[in-house]
Amino acid sequence: MRTLISNGTIVTAEGSQEADVLIDGETIVQIGRGLANAGIAADETIDASGRYVIPGGIDVHTHMELPFGGTFAKDTFETGTRAAAFGGTTTVVDFAVQSRGKSLREGLDAWHAKAEGNAVADYGFHMIMSDVNDDTLAEMDQLVAEGIPDFKLFTAYPGVFYSDDGAIFRAMQQTAKNGGLIMMHAENGMAIDVVAADEVAAGRTDPYYHGVARYPIFEGEATNRVIRLAEGAGVPVYIVHLSAREALAEVRAARDRGAKTFAETCPQYLFLSLDDMKNGFDGAKFVCSPPLRPADHQAELWTGLVKDDLQLVSTDHCPFDFHGQKELGRGDFRKIPNGLPGVEDRVDLLHDGGVIGGRITRERWVEIVSTAPARLFGMYPRKGAVAVGSDADLVVYDPNATRTISAKTHHMDVDYSCYEGRQVRGRSDIVLSRGSVIVRDGEFTGRKGHGQFIKRAAADFARMS
Ligand code: URP
Ligand code: ZN
Ligand code: ZN
């Protein structure tokens, strides 16, 4: 099957050009002006006039079916990757979980079983490590060889995913040998638990106090600590879901002194704030960790994206229904499952707030939502590029269309939207995954099982700054 995308404006991280794209099978085979008029034969021609042609979005932080707080994140690999596709994201990297006392292998096998035959678009895995011991350290090397080169550890969630400094340092030492990457959830979970217990004891049990108890300085402290541990081990480190200016200041300082420190933020920290958590128990819809911050943090996060102290935006997609799941925490915010839905809205929110909002160029937008994730997570140039030889993961994007975000129309399997009623400019009209059209004008045209596991290489951090 040959598909020609004609008359569009190709937008990549490097620049923009008017050119046509020829796809043969799953791969981009030719890019040039006027291919449509040059007698190139194609089975289908997609007219992209007035629209952008961009590399498919890559969301490197999702949690399909994550077990958390006595329940599970609702989206499966089928519903989650379908929702992602509607929003212009054609690859997700999800977190497989090693449960305490079990092997990494058991966790990884479980995640392969969840995804294989179900995903509608491509996927990879990172590995959450709950135990660091001789066995799991040895297993890390094997996972790197199998295309799972990143490992998430936590200074948060004592008793669940928490690792102490020695465990984190040992895991970092292991990546010094095997070329993997440690991803850190950096909040001081021990201190947070003290404050959270004080709040509940004082009768402050509403969701809002989840946000109050997790001080920004606790994120700043843990961010500094894990960066310093990584410097001690001589390895790069990646900070996930950075939310607070205090944490950004630590990342910026580290990068200024030449440390290989990388970080992502998420749409919820750019567009939502602690005030959203104020509305009685309705605030539970916004409970995630790190929490939403006072609105004045947002401008600094945008500056971080402009200056590349933050390299990319992922969603931390981890949806729990308000009814029946978030409600587990009525009367005690500590029991509300942590996480927000978002995989469908990231590309449009960043286009609307970033490009239309005049904060970033359209090229930087593409870099933040696709190219930088591909580079940092070992998929470039197979993914994240519009280039000959790359996978034909492409989005025909209308930068002028408007849509209103709502739970009534979204495709994520969750009963509310954090952005209910927000109008955004920009929409993914046609979405291709490895050459197949999987979304066309609001209709799903793909198939369950089309998505493939992407074996990723360890990124070449020596060449990255
Ligand atoms: O609230 C969040 N972020 N839930 C998902 C788990 C995590 O820490 O990423
Ligand atoms: Zn986390
Ligand atoms: Zn997460």
Side-chain angles (χ1 to χ4, degrees), residues 160-366:
V160 188
F161 294 132
Y162 174 88
S163 289
D164 66 24
D165 293 353
I168 294 165
F169 189 65
R170 285 189 82 195
M172 287 173 167
Q173 285 180 317
Q174 197 71 19
T175 61
K177 292 182 251 173
N178 65 28
L181 174 67
I182 298 297
M183 310 171 78
M184 288 302 315
H185 178 138
E187 291 183 286
N188 189 321
M190 293 294 192
I192 287 166
D193 276 7
V194 172
V195 181
D198 288 349
E199 295 294 338
V200 171
R204 293 187 284 269
T205 59
D206 271 358
Y208 177 69
Y209 296 100
H210 169 88
V212 169
R214 306 181 85 93
Y215 299 169
I217 195 71
F218 292 161
E219 188 183 345
E221 181 278 325
T223 301
N224 172 56
R225 182 160 30 109
V226 300
I227 291 171
R228 289 301 193 179
L229 290 172
E231 287 180 79
V235 294
V237 66
Y238 181 87
I239 310 297
V240 296
H241 48 44
L242 185 148
S243 71
R245 64 157 71 90
E246 288 80 352
L248 177 58
E250 298 298 345
V251 168
R252 193 187 309 119
R255 291 175 62 79
D256 286 351
R257 65 177 177 265
K260 297 273 183 198
T261 303
F262 304 92
E264 63 179 23
T265 189
C266 307
Q268 51 268 34
Y269 305 122
L270 296 166
F271 295 99
L272 303 172
S273 78
L274 187 57
D275 284 350
D276 289 298
M277 302 184 69
K278 272 186 176 155
N279 194 12
F281 194 73
D282 243 42
K285 293 175 179 169
F286 300 93
V287 166
C288 60
S289 296
L292 304 182
R293 299 301 185 187
D296 58 359
H297 288 241
Q298 293 169 2
E300 293 192 41
L301 297 182
W302 280 108
T303 302
L305 286 168
V306 169
K307 295 194 167 173
D308 203 37
D309 286 321
L310 300 172
Q311 288 72 47
L312 63 97
V313 175
S314 67
T315 59
D316 196 7
H317 177 73
C318 189
F320 298 99
D321 274 344
F322 179 71
H323 297 289
Q325 291 191 296
K326 291 286 187 180
E327 280 175 334
L328 293 169
R330 271 198 198 277
D332 185 345
F333 64 80
R334 295 173 299 181
K335 297 188 176 137
I336 301 170
N338 286 203
L340 307 184
V343 76
E344 190 167 353
D345 300 320
R346 178 185 67 125
V347 172
D348 292 346
L349 283 168
L350 267 289
H351 180 264
D352 185 62
V355 183
I356 302 296
R359 294 179 171 107
I360 53 174
T361 63
R362 61 190 183 182
E363 290 79 16
R364 179 65 177 151
W365 164 64
V366 168

Side-chain angles (χ1 to χ4, degrees), residues 17 21 47 60-61 84 102 114 118 164 212 228 232 236 259 282-283 299 331 382 386 397 453 462:
Q17 57 165 323
V21 181
D47 182 5
V60 292
H61 191 149
K102 305 252 174 81
K114 287 177 206 265
N118 291 317
D164 66 24
V212 169
R228 289 301 193 179
D282 243 42
R382 176 175 175 188
V386 182
Y397 195 84
F453 171 67

Side-chain angles (χ1 to χ4, degrees), residues 77 111-119 123 125 449 451:
F77 275 85
W111 249 256
H112 273 300
K114 287 177 206 265
E116 205 179 325
N118 291 317
Y123 58 91
F125 299 131

Side-chain angles (χ1 to χ4, degrees), residues 20 41 43 58 63 139 162 181 197 201 247 337 400 420 458 465:
D20 302 340
D43 301 295
I58 300 175
H63 298 284
E139 282 191 284
Y162 174 88
L181 174 67
N400 296 311
E420 188 67 40
S465 55

